[in-house]
Amino acid sequence: MSIAKERLIELFRAAVKASEFSYSPYSHFPVGAAILTADGSVVTGANIENRSYGLTNCAERTAAFKAVSEGKRSFKAVAIAAPKAEYPVGPCGACRQVLTEFAAADVPVIFGSSEENVVVHTLGELYPFDSLHELASDGKS
């Protein structure tokens, strides 16, 4: 999938803005995410912590669940911003799994701590052996 670098940077800026709404009183590590959906809209989310840490929700899943709850079930690009990080922090395994439910393997994922410190990979590069995508490519889905 081809998304212009400028569009990915715009999406990353939306993720940075979303990180301002993080609820992270325990880790003090705000994260924001922005998802470009098939209809061209952008849905954002932030990480929401809980003192029972297992109940914490990552920014990527917050954005994904918000998008799906609004009827947007096809993702075209994902941006993740962790402004306090020293290096680009990619999505955790749970988020990668959720994103693959609604995005193809060639969907670009941009992540980093600032516009000067980002990387771009495809979802398939981040989650290479996704059985859902393998089934779809084999015509078995």
Side-chain angles (χ1 to χ4, degrees):
M1 174 167 301
S2 179
I3 305 274
K5 178 75 172 185
E6 296 79 25
R7 185 66 178 120
L8 289 176
I9 293 297
E10 288 174 17
L11 195 63
F12 181 77
R13 288 179 185 144
V16 170
K17 181 72 176 165
S19 74
E20 296 173 11
F21 298 101
S22 166
Y23 179 74
S24 48
Y26 307 104
S27 71
H28 307 286
F29 193 77
V31 179
I35 296 174
L36 176 64
T37 66
D39 68 2
S41 60
V42 174
V43 179
T44 61
N47 59 321
I48 302 168
E49 294 181 352
N50 187 278
R51 66 185 173 274
S52 173
Y53 206 70
L55 299 178
T56 293
N57 203 55
C58 298
E60 302 92 304
R61 282 182 283 143
T62 299
F65 297 157
K66 185 176 169 186
V68 172
S69 72
E70 294 174 2
K72 301 167 191 316
R73 296 184 179 168
S74 180
F75 303 164
K76 299 302 177 190
V78 178
I80 305 157
K84 290 188 176 181
E86 295 179 13
Y87 55 88
V89 177
C92 74
C95 289
R96 293 173 196 212
Q97 178 73 49
V98 168
L99 290 170
T100 64
E101 186 74 22
F102 304 102
D106 64 345
V107 163
V109 181
I110 182 171
F111 54 95
S113 57
S114 68
E115 287 181 41
E116 297 76 34
N117 189 21
V118 294
V119 295
V120 180
H121 289 280
T122 66
L123 190 53
E125 289 171 327
L126 295 175
Y127 194 45
F129 299 104
D130 175 33
S131 59
L132 180 63
H133 290 153
E134 290 171 5
L135 290 172
S137 67
D138 290 344
K140 297 179 184 175
S141 59

